[in-house]
Amino acid sequence: MQELIEELKRKLIDILNLSDVQPETFDEHAQLVGGELGIDSIDVLEMVVMVEKDYGIVINNQEVGQKVFSSLVSLAEYIQEHSSDKPS
């Protein structure tokens, strides 16, 4: 799980151009959307696309999206939970 969290930190910093955030200072429990990172609805769309493209998981429900993108930990938990549903 920690490996996935570290991977997501690097990806979010990259796709959201969070140039003033380093992976080691990225608080995985902090609120993502509307928090100190300044992530807005456009950024959420970019995260949805990244999750679908990189992990094959579709998030097409606003309610689910709000829960999933509440923090980096919740995003990692959702990816881990739904990745295991897929046949290998």
Side-chain angles (χ1 to χ4, degrees):
M1 175 68 127
Q2 192 59 40
E3 188 177 318
L4 178 58
I5 288 173
E6 295 303 318
E7 178 181 298
L8 287 170
K9 285 180 181 179
R10 289 189 301 276
K11 287 184 178 190
L12 292 185
I13 288 170
D14 183 47
I15 66 169
L16 303 178
N17 295 318
L18 301 172
S19 57
D20 56 338
V21 177
Q22 301 299 315
E24 56 273 4
T25 61
F26 197 127
D27 182 358
E28 61 223 36
H29 297 283
Q31 180 181 353
L32 281 180
V33 181
E36 291 183 14
L37 295 174
I39 295 174
D40 60 19
S41 58
I42 301 297
D43 295 326
V44 172
L45 288 176
E46 290 188 47
M47 291 190 293
V48 167
V49 170
M50 180 274 293
V51 169
E52 184 172 349
K53 183 177 141 215
D54 294 358
Y55 301 99
I57 298 169
V58 177
I59 301 171
N60 56 6
N61 178 310
Q62 185 176 357
E63 234 176 85
V64 172
Q66 287 176 342
K67 279 184 176 177
V68 170
F69 295 113
S70 64
S71 72
L72 193 66
V73 170
S74 63
L75 175 59
E77 287 172 348
Y78 188 82
I79 289 171
Q80 190 169 45
E81 181 180 321
H82 289 79
S83 291
S84 63
D85 291 345
K86 296 181 174 202
S88 51

